[in-house]
């Protein structure tokens, strides 16, 4: 089987997923008794996901992307009564197919990553809560999430208002209340403690709570002490709140920001970067299977002569899982969260000044923090 060559890595996945799922159902006929035909279809679809994560791990030479996914899958499937043995069986069947094919460097890497995934099935996968009273604003974050979970939008707003009124800085409310509660919402969804509808509700209220805070800081005249930022999510990426937060933090710190949100189009992004005279482009990916698109997008931006001096920073879940992944997608830098992104941007801007011609450095913007709402 020649599935694991660069060109066909994605092309053969649907067929392979079907074959492997059929094989597993032959070996474990009880699966059909337990889950019926809909269960078979779900299992086939999950296998497509698994193969996409595997392909991404192989292409990016990043075992941790796949190993993390297996831990996540283990916890998710436990909620449906599927065991380590079931997941392991699927991975062994994939491994058998890969091993049976012609060997090359990429196939060897695939085998290594699959073996690491199989080992991961044997380890515990429980994710602890993202909210703890020991964290800064831990109690408030818990009360905020509790309000969301009882559909008490006004109660959630009131809590945020009270934090603002008592002088809590907006960046902390973002980080310790909104980000933590969003991560916790994800965990509760994954472990089937809340529904997709609950997750949508919590997310929508948090987005509106962020917008309500804008009136406290956006719109007024603020000195532009930073550079120009254009931010966008890659490809079909729908997770946009993290990038929104990052963009807001930059705006609070005196940057001139242009946020394109989810699903950014390559050409429009490049045009926006040129039109706004951006110093920095921030690109976000949450789903691991979008990482290769990030690499492609960065390649596209790099090929555009007009963007020669523009720095590119990346972030999002896969980059947090593999802290050197950013360099393999061709970015200039990475940061794990909005706060540290600001420091990384400052570093990149200093680097840019060093790289640029001396006569240009004089007119370069000095990037520094210190805005009253952010710091
Ligand atoms: C809300 C949500 C959604 C919403 C998003 C809505 C929106 N408008 O954004 C919707 C419903 C669309 C969605 C869909 C899906 N989701 Co979702 N989602 C979430 C959830 C609960 C919260 C996301 C969020 O708001 N996080 C809060 C922000 C602030 O954090 P953040 O994104 O990490 O951002 C910070 C840093 O990462 C960093 N950062 C981010 N971008 C950048 C960029 C740069 C340049 C830098 C420097 C830093 C940086 O800074 C940010 C601020 O500090 C997460 C849970 C989680 N752990 O994040 C799941 C989660 C990400 N989703 C998940 C899944 C599985 C999906 C779906 C596949 C579900 C499905 N079956 O359809 C789809 C995929 C959609 C797609 N193609 O993108 C999984 C991913 C698991 C995995 N192994 O990869 C998660 C982790 C849930 C879980 N625990 O299982 N989701």
């Amino acid at each position: 089987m020649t599935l694991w060559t660069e060109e066909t890595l994605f092309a053969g996945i649907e067929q392979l997923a079907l074959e492997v799922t059929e094989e597993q159902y032959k070996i474990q006929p009880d699966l059909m008794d337990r889950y019926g035909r809909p269960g078979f279809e779900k299992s086939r679809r999950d296998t497509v996901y698994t193969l996409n994560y595997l392909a991404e791990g192989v292409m990016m030479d990043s075992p941790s992307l796949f190993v993390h996914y297996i831990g996540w899958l283990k916890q998710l499937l436990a909620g449906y009564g599927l065991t380590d043995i079931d997941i392991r069986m699927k991975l062994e069947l994939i491994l058998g197919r890969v091993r049976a094919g012609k060997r090359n460097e990429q196939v060897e890497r695939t085998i290594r990553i699959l073996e690491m995934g199989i080992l991961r099935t044997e380890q515990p996968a429980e994710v602890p809560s993202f909210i703890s009273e020991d964290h800064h604003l831990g109690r408030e974050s818990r009360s905020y999430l509790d309000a969301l979970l009882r559909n008490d939008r006004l109660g959630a707003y009131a809590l945020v208002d009270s934090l603002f009124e008592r002088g809590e800085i907006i960046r902390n409310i973002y980080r310790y209340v909104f980000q933590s509660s969003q991560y916790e919402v994800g965990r509760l969804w994954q472990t089937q403690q809340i529904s997709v509808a609950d997750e949508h509700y919590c997310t929508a209220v948090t987005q509106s709570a962020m917008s309500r805070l804008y009136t406290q800081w956006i719109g007024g005249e603020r000195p532009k002490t930073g550079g120009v930022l254009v931010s966008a999510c890659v490809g079909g990426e729908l997770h946009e709140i993290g990038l929104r937060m990052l963009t807001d933090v930059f705006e609070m710190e005196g940057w001139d920001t242009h946020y394109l949100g989810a699903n950014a189009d390559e050409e429009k992004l490049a045009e926006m970067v040129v039109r706004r005279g951006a110093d920095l482009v921030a690109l976000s990916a949450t789903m691991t299977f979008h990482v290769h698109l990030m690499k492609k997008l960065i390649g596209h931006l790099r090929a555009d002569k007009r963007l020669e001096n523009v720095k590119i920073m990346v972030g999002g879940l896969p980059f947090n899982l593999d802290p050197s992944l950013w360099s393999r997608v061709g970015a200039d830098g990475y940061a794990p969260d909005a706060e540290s992104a600001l420091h990384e941007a400052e570093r990149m801007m200093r680097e840019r000044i060093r790289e640029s011609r001396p006569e240009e450095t004089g007119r370069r913007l000095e990037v520094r923090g210190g805005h009253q709402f952010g710091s």
Side-chain angles (χ1 to χ4, degrees), residues 66-262:
F66 186 66
V67 171
H68 174 270
Y69 165 75
I70 295 299
W72 173 82
L73 185 69
K74 199 175 136 131
Q75 181 159 34
L76 182 82
L77 295 186
Y80 295 92
L82 286 156
T83 63
D84 304 358
I85 296 166
D86 300 322
I87 301 173
R88 195 187 163 108
M89 169 68 75
K90 182 69 70 56
L91 296 180
E92 299 274 13
L93 291 173
I94 296 171
L95 182 61
R97 302 236 164 189
V98 177
R99 277 200 178 125
K102 221 170 74 206
R103 296 293 179 100
N104 60 29
E105 197 253 311
Q106 185 159 253
V107 172
E108 296 301 339
R109 190 189 299 164
T110 308
I111 292 171
R112 260 194 333 272
I113 294 181
L114 267 168
E115 285 171 345
M116 290 165 85
I118 289 169
L119 275 180
R120 179 68 185 89
T121 62
E122 291 159 16
Q123 293 148 12
E126 286 68 39
V127 180
S129 171
F130 289 94
I131 298 180
S132 154
E133 301 234 333
D134 305 339
H135 296 164
H136 183 55
L137 299 185
R139 197 171 311 152
E140 291 82 352
S141 179
R142 166 59 56 203
S143 306
Y144 175 79
L145 182 59
D146 286 346
L148 297 186
L149 294 176
R150 37 167 216 274
N151 286 6
D152 179 10
R153 180 166 48 95
L154 298 181
Y157 289 164
L159 193 128
V160 173
D161 291 345
S162 71
L163 287 176
F164 185 73
E165 277 152 21
R166 82 175 193 205
E168 200 58 63
I169 57 173
I170 294 179
R171 268 158 60 169
N172 279 351
I173 302 177
Y174 272 27
R175 179 175 175 180
Y176 296 108
V177 178
F178 297 151
Q179 179 167 311
S180 306
S181 60
Q182 281 295 94
Y183 284 176
E184 185 62 3
V185 163
R187 193 185 73 87
L188 294 174
W189 166 79
Q190 187 190 348
T191 50
Q192 298 188 14
Q193 299 180 60
I194 62 170
S195 68
V196 173
D198 294 327
E199 174 275 307
H200 285 8
Y201 176 83
C202 296
T203 299
V205 175
T206 290
Q207 282 177 305
S208 64
M210 285 169 70
S211 307
R212 281 178 82 253
L213 277 178
Y214 291 167
T215 53
Q216 309 293 342
W217 63 272
I218 219 162
E221 260 316 301
R222 286 191 314 281
K224 289 286 174 206
T225 53
V228 178
L229 172 80
V230 169
S231 59
C233 294
V234 72
E237 185 61 64
L238 298 179
H239 298 92
E240 55 179 357
I241 297 176
L243 189 72
R244 169 89 263 178
M245 277 190 189
L246 178 144
T247 310
D248 288 354
V249 166
F250 274 63
E251 182 77 26
M252 288 175 207
E253 287 298 318
W255 282 65
D256 181 12
T257 67
H258 305 277
Y259 168 75
L260 302 187

Side-chain angles (χ1 to χ4, degrees), residues 2 62 64 77 104 118 145 147 151 261 307 310 352:
T2 53
S62 178
S64 44
L77 295 186
N104 60 29
I118 289 169
L145 182 59
N151 286 6
L307 310 180
V310 178
R352 190 161 169 269

Side-chain angles (χ1 to χ4, degrees), residues 271-283:
E271 285 313 314
M272 175 68 99
V273 175
V274 172
R275 200 147 33 92
R276 300 294 175 190
D279 300 292
L280 179 66
V281 177
L283 298 175

Side-chain angles (χ1 to χ4, degrees), residues 295-307:
K295 188 173 176 185
K296 190 167 154 271
L297 174 61
I298 293 176
H300 182 80
L301 297 176
R302 297 280 192 222
D304 192 327
K305 282 265 167 277
R306 299 170 302 169
L307 310 180

